[in-house]
């Protein structure tokens, strides 16, 4: 035995917690033999929490196949923190932990049994399937039964489906039903899918929700038809879940379908949900349609979910004959997504000729200019500047009446942008405003204004 190893052994047995912890940290870069693993494992019950944490980290960072057999005994600890720490290490060691865990099944109380089964399920290997099925069929404790069902779902054990279905039949008070249904959903074979669709209408809302989610993950073409049919008659609280699962199935199966008008209107309701995944799913389902109601709904949600904005922007450009006026109407209402729509409309305005966008009617233009003149006082600096840019773009001469508000803007970049806008306007008022900016307190603003004034004077 080397002197270094002797030093480790001495420190690991030291009465000084700092020395024990230091040794554990040093062992992170050392290959452990069985004797050192045994010494470290004993520190899982150390009175010092820092030492326990260091021992746990060592066995988590460095994985040794023999570690589980040394620490599995802590699954029976009365100290919940020690038990959980051992569970984390066993889970991290994955399939190497399965023999040690299975060897302890049946040796503790119901809480211990449940804890071990939970870990086996989270590991996800099929190796303990038959043993877990056996416990499910013979154990009378409800929590253990639920742990078995959940573990079998995590393992995706198809051979357990008949047993789980039988469990549902005997569950008269439906105490086990939600967990068992979720487990069946994770397994998702044809027998399960058919069962879900057969019993769906007899379930409560929560169980229906579980079935819908499960069908989205593992369903087939029949499931898709079932979901779309159900969407037309379902409770409003389930619309979002069905929309999400339907889109998930369409994507998985690679299908393209034509939605009828009734379904489109129902899916539109899902755009009002708070769940981003649901809104994304509804958008994908409706994306290829150009109905005014759909484009208007897209305008309402633009800017609320970053991942959607690129998709929606392309849709607005493609349907500019519908979207432009709808975007303007929304901006005029000064809504919660005004900034995002304002920036979008500015881009579309600057691409007007390229896209072939029709000019604004006189009434629409007047209303929009009034809105911009109000927004130029907005607390948001980006709204202020975008409003100014649009004012100058739509009617440069009239925009000069509002330029005074930007001259004193708190944001230096807004003042610099105003200089560029004024430089494009050949009016005496623009020249006078540039003179004011040439006296700005910020040197960068002052220099840029003076430079452009000199250019203007040279051209004159």
């Amino acid at each position: 035995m080397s002197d270094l190893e002797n030093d480790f052994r001495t420190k690991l047995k030291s009465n000084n917690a700092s020395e024990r912890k230091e040794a554990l940290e040093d062992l992170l870069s050392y290959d452990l033999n069985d004797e050192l693993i045994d010494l470290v494992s004993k520190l899982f019950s150390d009175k010092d929490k820092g030492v326990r944490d260091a021992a746990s980290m060592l066995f988590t960072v460095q994985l040794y196949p023999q570690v589980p057999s040394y620490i599995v005994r802590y699954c029976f600890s009365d100290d919940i923190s020690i038990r959980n720490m051992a569970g984390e290490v066993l889970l991290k060691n994955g399939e190497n932990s399965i023999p040690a865990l299975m060897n302890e099944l049946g040796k503790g109380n119901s809480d211990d049994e449940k804890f071990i089964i939970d870990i086996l399920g989270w590991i996800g290997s099929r190796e303990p399937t038959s043993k877990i099925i056996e416990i499910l069929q013979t154990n009378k404790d409800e929590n253990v039964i639920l742990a078995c069902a959940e573990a079998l779902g995590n393992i995706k054990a198809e051979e357990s489906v008949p047993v789980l279905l039988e469990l549902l039949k005997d569950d008269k008070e439906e105490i086990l039903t939600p967990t068992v249904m979720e487990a069946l959903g994770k397994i998702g074979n044809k027998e399960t899918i058919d069962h879900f669709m057969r019993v769906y209408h007899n379930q409560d809302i929560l169980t229906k929700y579980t079935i819908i989610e499960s069908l989205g993950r593992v369903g087939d073409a029949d499931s898709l038809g079932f979901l779309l049919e159900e969407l037309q008659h379902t409770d409003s609280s389930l619309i979002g879940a069905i929309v999400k699962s339907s889109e998930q199935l369409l994507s998985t199966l690679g299908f393209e379908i034509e939605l009828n008008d009734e379904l489109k209107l129902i899916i539109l309701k899902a755009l009002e949900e708070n769940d981003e995944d649901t809104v994304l799913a509804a958008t994908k389902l409706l994306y290829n349609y150009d109905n005014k109601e759909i484009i208007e709904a897209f305008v309402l949600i633009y800017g609320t979910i970053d991942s959607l904005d690129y998709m929606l922007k392309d849709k607005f450009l493609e349907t500019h004959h519908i979207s432009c006026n709808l975007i303007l109407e929304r901006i005029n209402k000064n809504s919660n997504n005004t900034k995002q729509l304002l920036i979008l409309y500015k881009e579309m305005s600057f691409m007007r000729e390229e896209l072939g966008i029709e000019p604004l009617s006189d009434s629409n233009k007047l209303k929009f200019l009034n809105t911009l003149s109000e927004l130029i006082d907005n607390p948001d600096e980006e709204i202020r500047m975008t409003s100014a840019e649009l004012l100058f773009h739509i009617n440069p001469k009239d925009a000069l009446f509002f330029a005074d508000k930007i001259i004193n803007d708190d944001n230096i970049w807004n003042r610099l942008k105003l200089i560029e806008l004024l430089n494009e306007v050949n009016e005496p008022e623009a020249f006078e405003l540039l003179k004011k900016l040439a006296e700005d307190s910020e040197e960068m603003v002052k220099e840029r204004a003076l430079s452009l004034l000199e250019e203007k004077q040279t051209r004159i």
Side-chain angles (χ1 to χ4, degrees):
M1 185 177 298
S2 68
D3 290 341
L4 180 59
E5 191 168 318
N6 273 327
D7 185 51
F8 282 137
R9 292 175 67 236
T10 301
K11 286 183 176 179
L12 290 172
K13 295 177 180 180
S14 170
N15 291 326
N16 187 313
S18 295
E19 286 192 2
R20 298 196 298 276
K21 186 178 177 184
E22 180 186 342
L24 289 166
E25 291 170 350
D26 290 341
L27 282 170
L28 286 168
S29 56
Y30 190 85
D31 286 332
L32 305 186
N33 57 31
D34 282 352
E35 185 179 1
L36 285 173
I37 288 172
D38 181 36
L39 286 172
V40 172
S41 71
K42 289 174 181 175
L43 296 179
F44 266 57
S45 58
D46 195 277
K47 60 185 179 182
D48 186 276
K49 184 179 184 302
V51 172
R52 296 200 302 271
D53 289 344
S56 171
M57 179 177 287
L58 177 57
F59 282 164
T60 302
V61 172
Q62 295 211 63
L63 302 182
Y64 297 94
Q66 61 269 50
V67 162
S69 62
Y70 284 95
I71 64 166
V72 73
R73 64 182 183 272
Y74 294 111
C75 289
F76 304 98
S77 174
D78 292 331
D79 187 324
I80 190 66
S81 65
I82 293 175
R83 185 209 292 248
N84 288 341
M85 186 174 69
E88 288 174 11
V89 174
L90 289 164
L91 183 58
K92 183 69 175 179
N93 278 264
E95 294 189 6
N96 286 331
S97 297
I98 291 175
L101 286 164
M102 289 184 66
N103 192 51
E104 301 303 320
L105 286 170
K107 295 183 180 179
N109 59 33
S110 294
D111 287 340
D112 301 328
E113 195 84 339
K114 177 186 181 307
F115 186 71
I116 292 171
I117 292 167
D118 283 340
I119 298 172
L120 287 169
W122 293 331
I123 291 171
S125 168
R126 296 176 60 82
E127 185 179 339
T129 298
S130 59
K131 183 64 177 176
I132 294 173
I133 291 174
E134 178 190 329
I135 295 169
L136 183 147
Q137 291 177 312
T138 56
N139 198 290
K140 303 302 180 186
D141 186 274
E142 188 178 281
N143 289 325
V144 174
I145 294 170
L146 286 170
C148 288
E150 190 173 341
L152 291 167
N154 290 332
I155 291 168
K156 295 180 172 54
E158 287 200 35
E159 56 266 53
S160 70
V161 169
V163 178
L164 292 173
L165 290 175
E166 193 63 35
L167 199 60
L168 288 177
K169 290 181 185 177
D170 298 334
D171 188 29
K172 304 302 182 187
E173 296 182 13
E174 298 191 345
I175 295 170
L176 307 175
T177 295
T179 300
V180 175
M181 292 290 268
E182 186 174 354
L184 286 167
K186 289 178 180 178
I187 297 168
N189 65 357
K190 181 62 177 172
E191 185 180 2
T192 297
I193 294 168
D194 289 346
H195 173 78
F196 279 166
M197 292 190 291
R198 189 167 57 251
V199 303
Y200 176 86
H201 293 103
N202 299 322
Q203 307 304 312
D204 60 28
I205 290 288
L206 287 176
T207 307
K208 284 182 176 180
Y209 191 90
T210 299
I211 290 174
I212 291 164
E213 281 195 319
S214 299
L215 292 178
R217 285 195 303 269
V218 299
D220 53 18
D222 290 339
S223 309
L224 177 61
F226 173 84
L227 288 173
L228 292 175
E229 175 65 26
E230 184 60 26
L231 188 56
Q232 298 178 75
H233 314 290
T234 193
D235 185 282
S236 59
S237 63
L238 293 174
I239 288 175
I242 296 178
V243 165
K244 191 159 52 173
S245 286
S246 297
E247 194 284 322
Q248 193 174 354
L249 270 179
L250 277 169
S251 178
T252 302
L253 298 170
F255 288 175
E256 290 185 10
I257 59 169
E258 184 70 27
L259 298 173
N260 60 40
D261 289 340
E262 183 182 0
L263 277 175
K264 289 176 195 172
L265 290 174
I266 294 170
I267 294 169
L268 274 174
K269 295 177 184 176
L271 291 175
E272 300 170 9
E273 302 241 352
N274 292 323
D275 179 64
E276 289 191 5
D277 290 337
T278 300
V279 175
L280 180 60
T283 302
K284 288 180 178 178
L285 288 174
L286 297 171
Y287 190 80
N288 291 326
Y289 301 100
D290 295 344
N291 309 49
K292 182 181 176 182
E293 296 84 359
I294 293 173
I295 305 302
E296 185 173 18
F298 287 168
V299 170
L300 294 180
I301 64 170
Y302 183 77
T304 59
I305 302 175
D306 290 343
S307 58
L308 267 181
D309 284 354
Y310 286 110
M311 187 192 310
L312 293 178
K313 180 180 174 181
D314 287 344
K315 186 65 178 178
F316 296 145
L317 293 174
E318 177 189 324
T319 60
H320 58 78
H321 56 290
I322 302 173
S323 66
C324 274
N325 285 335
L326 293 172
I327 291 168
L328 277 184
E329 288 174 15
R330 181 74 172 165
I331 293 172
N332 286 334
K333 292 177 182 176
N334 197 9
S335 55
N336 61 335
N337 60 343
T338 291
K339 178 162 75 172
Q340 293 84 356
L341 290 174
L342 205 57
I343 294 168
L344 170 66
Y345 189 78
K346 184 189 80 172
E347 286 187 52
M348 294 177 74
S349 294
F350 291 177
M351 297 169 64
R352 182 174 295 278
E353 290 186 9
E354 178 187 338
L355 295 172
I357 297 175
E358 291 293 323
L360 290 176
S361 67
D362 289 342
S363 60
N364 280 345
K365 182 188 290 188
L366 181 60
K367 190 172 183 180
F368 187 46
L369 288 172
N370 285 336
T371 297
L372 293 175
S373 67
E374 292 172 4
L375 290 175
I376 210 165
D377 288 319
N378 195 279
D380 188 290
E381 60 193 33
E382 202 166 358
I383 289 179
R384 293 197 303 271
M385 197 62 246
T386 307
S387 299
E389 288 181 82
L390 280 165
L391 280 168
F392 274 91
H393 180 68
I394 296 169
N395 193 327
K397 192 169 182 179
D398 287 350
L400 294 171
F401 292 113
F402 305 99
D404 265 333
K405 296 182 178 182
I406 302 295
I407 280 181
N408 299 312
D409 198 283
D410 292 338
N411 187 293
I412 183 176
W413 302 108
N414 281 3
R415 304 202 300 277
L416 284 167
K417 182 63 182 178
L418 177 61
I419 292 171
E420 305 303 325
L421 294 172
L422 290 170
N423 188 48
E424 298 298 319
V425 183
N426 293 315
E427 296 290 339
E429 295 88 345
F431 193 79
E432 292 303 316
L433 289 166
L434 280 173
K435 282 184 179 180
K436 288 185 181 181
L437 286 161
E439 298 172 359
D440 196 274
S441 58
E442 286 285 346
E443 196 63 30
M444 187 160 43
V445 175
K446 181 178 179 179
E447 288 180 0
R448 183 59 180 154
L450 283 170
S451 172
L452 291 179
L453 277 172
E454 288 175 8
E455 286 183 24
K456 278 184 173 290
Q457 287 172 335
T458 300
R459 289 199 296 268
I460 292 171

